[in-house]
């Protein structure tokens, strides 16, 4: 069973394994990942026991705009609702902000984010805009 946490207590090996599982080059910098996540305003992580299986992070200005940089789920846990749960929790965290901005590098990610209420803006990364 997957559980979710908002603490920023990660071991380098946990982050390295998760980031490497999805082929992200930042897996080569586990010490820097620990620091980057500790400096993020929001981090929500998904766990299967003691195994880190997904996470999302964001930085924000405290009032209007948040930028989500990482959203990743271990391939063994993809298409099982983990990414959806992380996205839902992130949206809830920033529900009073005007903008929740992210980037999507593939068509599959664009489709995933569009299913969760995001849409592309001309000249801007995908964004969830509160009207």
């Amino acid at each position: 069973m997957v559980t979710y946490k908002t603490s920023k207590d990660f071991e380098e090996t946990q982050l390295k394994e998760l980031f490497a599982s999805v082929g992200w080059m930042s897996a080569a910098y586990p010490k820097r990942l620990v620091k980057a996540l500790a400096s993020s305003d929001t981090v929500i992580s998904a766990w299967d026991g003691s195994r880190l299986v997904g996470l999302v992070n964001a930085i924000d200005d405290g009032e209007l705009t948040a930028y989500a940089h990482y959203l990743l789920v271990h391939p063994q846990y993809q298409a099982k609702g983990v990414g959806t749960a992380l996205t839902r929790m992130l949206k809830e965290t920033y529900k009073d902000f005007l903008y929740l901005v992210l980037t999507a590098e593939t068509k599959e990610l664009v489709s995933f984010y569009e299913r969760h209420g995001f849409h592309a803006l001309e000249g801007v990364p995908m964004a969830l805009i509160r009207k």
Side-chain angles (χ1 to χ4, degrees):
M1 182 171 112
V2 175
T3 58
Y4 299 88
K5 301 178 185 178
T6 56
S7 67
K8 300 176 186 178
D9 301 328
F10 300 102
E11 296 176 13
E12 291 176 26
T13 55
Q14 293 168 320
L15 292 171
K16 182 175 182 170
E17 195 276 325
L18 177 60
F19 278 73
S21 77
V22 294
W24 286 18
M25 69 180 223
S26 36
Y29 308 97
K31 286 181 195 279
R32 295 180 79 184
L33 281 171
V34 169
K35 289 180 183 179
L37 291 171
S39 297
S40 296
D41 295 298
T42 298
V43 179
I44 305 167
S45 54
W47 299 83
D48 186 355
S50 61
R51 184 180 188 194
L52 177 63
V53 299
L55 68 79
V56 63
N57 85 315
I59 57 173
D60 65 69
D61 63 12
E63 192 62 34
L64 297 174
T65 305
Y67 297 90
H69 182 66
Y70 299 133
L71 172 58
L72 59 158
V73 176
H74 192 287
Q76 293 176 346
Y77 293 81
Q78 291 176 4
K80 297 183 180 191
V82 175
T84 294
L86 290 168
T87 302
R88 187 180 66 246
M89 287 182 261
L90 184 70
K91 286 172 58 178
E92 179 62 25
T93 299
Y94 290 105
K95 68 183 178 195
D96 294 327
F97 281 57
L98 294 178
Y99 300 98
L100 176 52
V101 180
L102 56 84
T103 57
E105 297 176 2
T106 66
K107 288 182 181 182
E108 293 79 19
L109 285 175
V110 169
S111 295
F112 173 83
Y113 290 126
E114 286 176 340
R115 287 193 309 272
H116 291 88
F118 292 84
H119 62 277
L121 299 174
E122 184 77 26
V124 177
M126 294 188 75
L128 178 65
I129 300 172
R130 308 289 180 199
K131 295 182 179 181

